[in-house]
Amino acid sequence: MRSTVHQLSVSNYSSILGVLLLSNSHLNSDHLLILTFAERRASKLAEMSVAGKRKAGKPFSQRKNNKLPKKSKSEPKNRISLLKLPRVVLLECIANLDISEIIVFSLLSKRAKNIAKLIPWSPLTIRLLLEYDLQVTLKIPNGPDQTWNIRYNNRETSEFLQLSKLIGTSVNHCLSLKNNGNAIEDFKQMVENIYEVFQSPICRIDTCDEQFIEWIIKIQPTEWHKGSKLHNLEYLKIETSSLRNLNDKNYANEILKDLNLTVSVGNDGRPTKVRIDDEFVNTLPHVDVVRNLIRNDGMIGSIFRSYTSHHFRITDRCFHFQVWRK
Amino acid sequence: MAPKKNSAKRPQPSTPKPSAPARIVKVQSSDGHILQADVRALLLSSTLAATIKGYDDENKPLEKLEVNNVVGFTLKLVLEWCEKHKEDDPAIAQAEKDKKNIFIPSWDRHFLTKLPMGNLFDLITAAYHLDITGLINYGCKTVANSAKGKSTEEMRELFGIPEPWEQPSTSTATWDD
C-alpha cells in the first residue's frame, strides 16, 4: 500500500496527505497531529541537508569526529562498564536518570537503548520543529510543568550545552547540540530513540521538507480509517505556503481517489472548534462542503480545505482532517 | 576538612539505642582477605543476616563468614558503609527503594562520590549480591547523579561504554541485544 502512495507525488502536499491516510501504523495514543509544510522555508533546510551530506558519515553514536578533542584518539579509560552491572541494579541506575540524560544514554549504543526501553517511563508528548534549526520538545502530559527542548543548531556554539531555566513555576530544560555536519541524521536517530524509549507519540510536526514526513511515517505510520491504528486522532492539519498557482482540485482528487468518501453539504453536527493539547481552542474555518470518511465504530473523519491569501501572491493552503461523532 | 554529619532531611533513628557490647566476627573475602565487622553492621545484608541467624539458631559459634563473590578491597568498602549505618532502621531503606528522588546524606555522598566509577560499580554489585538495600539505593542514585550535564562522549567515558566499532565481534552479550 505504501508504494502506491509514494506514486502520488503530484506535489509534496498530496503525497504527504496520501501517505498519512493510507499507510500502516503502530501508534495508538495520538490526539492531534499537525503538519505545517511551507515551501518557502525549504531552501534553508536544503542547505543544511547539503552541508550534512558533505560531511555525512556514520550516525552520531558511531562517528569519531563527534568525540571531544582531548578524547578523540584515546580509548575510554574506564573499561569497567555500567552495562556489566547485574540487571536489577543496572535498571535502577538508569531509572534514576533525568529525561535528557536518558536520551543521551540511549545514544551510546544499541544495547544502551535497549536497556533504557525496559524502564516504564512516563509517556511524553513529542513535538518536532524541523526548520532552520532542528528541535524536539518534550513534555509530560498532566505532569510537572517541565519542558525539555533539544536542538541541533547551525550556529557556532560549543559542542554540547545544557541548561535549565525556571520561568515562573515552569522549568525549561534546554540541550543544545552543535551541527557537526550530519545534524539531520543525528536528529532523526535521536527522535527515533525518544520515540522507542518513551513509547510516546509524535503529536505535532512543523516542517518544510518532505523527507521528514516520509521519515516520520516510517517510524510512526498512520492508518486512521481501518480503525485499529491512530485510534484517538482528533485533528490533523497540513499547511502549505506557495507562490505558485497550484491546481488544488486536481491534487485533492488524486489524494482522495482511493477512499470511500461521502459528500456532506452544510453542517450536520460537526464541531466547529477543536481543543489542541489542552492549551488552546482552535476555531475551524467555515466550509459548506466536506467529505466524510466513516470508520467502523461510527467515528467520522471530515476532510476539507481552506485558504488564506497574503501579500506577494503567497497563499496558505490548509488541509483539515477532523474526527468527530454524531 | 572532615565530612559533615548526615543532614537532618534524612529520617534518623528516633532514639539512640543503648550500646550493647559489639559482637565482632571475621569476614573473609573471595580473595582471602580477612576483615572484622560488628554483627549489627552485617545484619544490614539480608544474605549475611540469614547466615548469621542460621548459626544462632543452631547455637553454633560464628567465627568466620565467607563472602565468596566479593573481593577484599570492595568488601572493606561494604563493611565501612555498613558500620556507619548499623544503627539505621531497615524500614528507611525499604521505603526509599522505589522512590525516584532519593536524598543521599552527606556522609554517603562523600563516601560514594570519592570512588572511581569502576569501584562504585563493584560496590553496587557487592551490595546486590549481599542484598543491602540502602547501599544499592545510594549507589545507584550516585551513578545517575554522575551523569548530570554530560555529553554523549563524556557519558560514554564515564560509564565505560565502548563505541560500536570498539566492541569485539564475538560479543558475549546475552540478555539485551
Side-chain angles (χ1 to χ4, degrees), chain B:
Chain B
M1 189 171 67
K4 293 177 186 174
K5 289 183 179 177
N6 287 1
S7 166
K9 285 184 182 176
R10 185 169 189 272
Q12 297 294 314
S14 52
T15 50
K17 294 174 185 171
S19 54
R23 181 183 166 200
I24 304 297
V25 295
K26 290 176 182 173
V27 186
Q28 183 172 328
S29 67
S30 62
D31 53 352
H33 286 83
I34 295 177
L35 306 164
Q36 290 195 323
D38 186 337
V39 166
R40 286 180 301 168
L42 298 179
L43 291 178
L44 288 173
S45 157
S46 303
T47 310
L48 296 181
T51 308
I52 293 167
K53 186 173 183 300
Y55 275 93
D56 289 351
D57 287 349
E58 295 177 14
N59 286 322
K60 287 166 63 177
L62 176 58
E63 293 179 355
K64 189 172 71 177
L65 279 169
E66 290 185 7
V67 180
N68 294 326
N69 45 12
V70 182
V71 297
F73 178 82
T74 307
L75 186 60
K76 187 168 181 290
L77 293 171
V78 170
L79 296 182
E80 187 180 350
W81 188 90
C82 289
E83 177 65 23
K84 179 67 185 176
H85 289 273
K86 66 183 179 185
E87 305 285 353
D88 285 4
D89 182 352
I92 295 172
Q94 282 300 329
E96 287 180 328
K97 193 175 178 181
D98 297 321
K99 278 170 66 178
K100 172 84 177 170
N101 296 316
I102 295 173
F103 175 79
I104 305 178
S106 59
W107 183 89
D108 298 84
R109 191 165 59 244
H110 181 263
F111 177 74
L112 295 168
T113 54
K114 74 180 180 186
L115 295 174
M117 195 54 68
N119 291 348
L120 182 57
F121 292 161
D122 289 341
L123 183 59
I124 293 170
T125 304
Y128 168 73
H129 289 314
L130 296 170
D131 197 4
I132 307 171
T133 305
L135 184 52
I136 293 173
N137 291 346
Y138 295 157
C140 292
K141 183 68 177 174
T142 302
V143 169
N145 287 347
S146 67
K148 289 206 177 305
K150 295 283 189 295
S151 70
T152 314
E153 286 312 312
E154 289 166 336
M155 199 182 287
R156 185 186 300 286
E157 181 90 13
L158 180 73
F159 289 158
I161 299 174
E163 301 272 7
W165 65 81
E166 291 179 317
Q167 297 182 26
S169 56
T170 54
S171 172
T172 54
T174 52
W175 55 271
D176 53 1
D177 266 336

Side-chain angles (χ1 to χ4, degrees), chain A residues 82-101:
Chain A
L82 173 76
L83 302 181
K84 289 179 181 167
L85 284 178
R87 182 172 177 169
V88 172
V89 286
L90 170 58
L91 292 178
E92 191 160 335
C93 289
I94 306 307
N96 275 294
L97 295 175
D98 191 9
I99 284 179
S100 50
E101 294 148 14

Side-chain angles (χ1 to χ4, degrees), chain A residues 107-235:
Chain A
L107 289 166
L108 296 182
S109 72
K110 184 181 173 187
R111 194 171 170 205
K113 182 179 76 175
N114 288 338
I115 291 162
K117 283 164 66 176
L118 296 174
I119 311 281
W121 306 109
S122 300
L124 304 169
T125 59
I126 305 172
R127 295 184 183 186
L128 305 180
L129 180 65
L130 311 168
E131 296 182 315
Y132 187 64
D133 290 340
L134 303 173
Q135 180 172 308
V136 56
T137 299
L138 308 170
K139 284 188 85 167
I140 302 174
N142 307 317
D145 191 3
Q146 292 191 77
T147 305
W148 287 263
N149 287 308
I150 305 163
R151 183 174 63 182
Y152 280 90
N153 65 62
N154 278 325
R155 301 168 196 91
E156 290 297 322
T157 63
S158 58
E159 193 89 13
F160 180 91
L161 179 65
Q162 188 171 18
L163 55 93
S164 295
K165 288 186 285 189
L166 180 64
I167 305 165
T169 56
S170 62
V171 183
N172 192 0
H173 306 277
C174 300
L175 178 60
S176 185
L177 303 164
K178 187 179 172 185
N179 178 8
N180 280 319
N182 204 23
I184 291 176
E185 291 308 311
D186 290 347
F187 183 82
K188 284 179 179 177
Q189 186 187 345
M190 184 178 66
V191 172
E192 286 172 23
N193 280 13
I194 293 169
Y195 181 70
E196 281 187 57
V197 169
F198 293 96
Q199 298 180 32
S200 301
I202 296 167
C203 62
R204 179 165 179 155
I205 308 158
D206 291 88
T207 186
C208 55
D209 192 327
E210 189 175 0
Q211 69 162 310
F212 285 113
I213 303 298
E214 293 180 353
W215 162 68
I216 289 292
I217 290 161
K218 189 179 168 189
I219 64 165
Q220 182 184 279
T222 64
E223 186 179 51
W224 181 83
H225 70 296
K226 294 252 173 114
S228 60
K229 307 294 169 65
L230 209 67
H231 195 81
N232 296 322
L233 177 69
E234 294 174 5
Y235 179 60

Side-chain angles (χ1 to χ4, degrees), chain A residues 274-290:
Chain A
V274 290
R275 178 176 288 277
I276 296 176
D277 289 343
D278 290 329
E279 288 179 6
F280 59 93
V281 175
N282 187 20
T283 301
L284 300 173
H286 173 78
V287 290
D288 292 327
V289 178
V290 300

